[in-house]
Amino acid sequence: MENMRMVAMISLGLLWVLLVVLGTHAITITVKDENEGNQEALHQLVEAKVDALGGAHPPMHNLTSSCSCDKLLLSSLGPAAISQPKVMGIYTRSWTSYNQHRSYRMNYGADYRLYHLPTSGWLVSYKRGANIGYVHNPDISQTCPYLIQSGWLYYNSVHGVWLHDTTLVLRCIQKTEE
């Protein structure tokens, strides 16, 4: 079912209570652990109950190969376009990865790079590996930058601060041909 998430799994001795939220409704699943101490059997039983409700495991991400986009478009209709116009445009996938993530390069005009920093997230900068930049997203969990839906920031050099721009987006414009 859509929007299903497990909120809590509570052990009450031989009884387990699983609280699941489906959209705006919460339901509970009660499971008896008849095989006390056999956590694997209990785990499989709970999974079967969740699967019966239409649940599924999220897809696994394979750091670099799961990013199937060759060209990205960085754009803004807001203040980032005014403050950082030079970094807006098309970024092409580099042939080498950086920090076990895909990296991208603007191939015309100034040579800007988009890459992942393990403790900082995604950054557009003047060279790959620099720790200062112009556009940033602090999401360190996403392996593909174009899948990040929100949270993009731009550096406002007039005020010397990173600011949020809700219109600042990074989108895939050309998928890898397989």
Side-chain angles (χ1 to χ4, degrees), residues 37-45:
N38 188 347
Q39 294 300 315
E40 180 61 30
L42 177 61
H43 182 71
Q44 290 174 354
L45 186 58

Side-chain angles (χ1 to χ4, degrees), residues 119-177:
T119 58
S120 302
W122 290 93
L123 185 66
V124 173
S125 187
Y126 64 96
K127 72 175 186 175
R128 192 167 70 171
N131 60 2
I132 60 170
Y134 313 102
V135 171
H136 171 64
N137 192 297
D139 187 337
I140 60 172
S141 66
Q142 188 53 260
T143 59
C144 304
Y146 57 90
L147 296 177
I148 301 172
Q149 298 297 313
S150 62
W152 288 96
L153 307 167
Y154 69 97
Y155 186 72
N156 183 308
S157 59
V158 173
H159 300 293
V161 294
W162 287 94
L163 298 173
H164 186 77
D165 178 352
T166 58
T167 69
L168 180 57
V169 293
L170 184 69
R171 297 288 181 249
C172 177
I173 59 170
Q174 183 179 339
K175 291 274 189 179
T176 303
E177 292 183 24

Side-chain angles (χ1 to χ4, degrees), residues 2 7 15 22 32 40 45 54 65 70 89 91 93 99 102 113 127 132 139 141 154-155 168 170 174:
E2 288 187 37
V7 176
L15 191 66
L22 299 170
K32 273 190 176 178
E40 180 61 30
L45 186 58
S65 65
D70 284 336
Y91 288 77
R93 181 173 58 92
N99 288 325
R102 296 257 194 236
R113 308 295 177 101
K127 72 175 186 175
I132 60 170
D139 187 337
S141 66
Y154 69 97
Y155 186 72
L168 180 57
L170 184 69
Q174 183 179 339

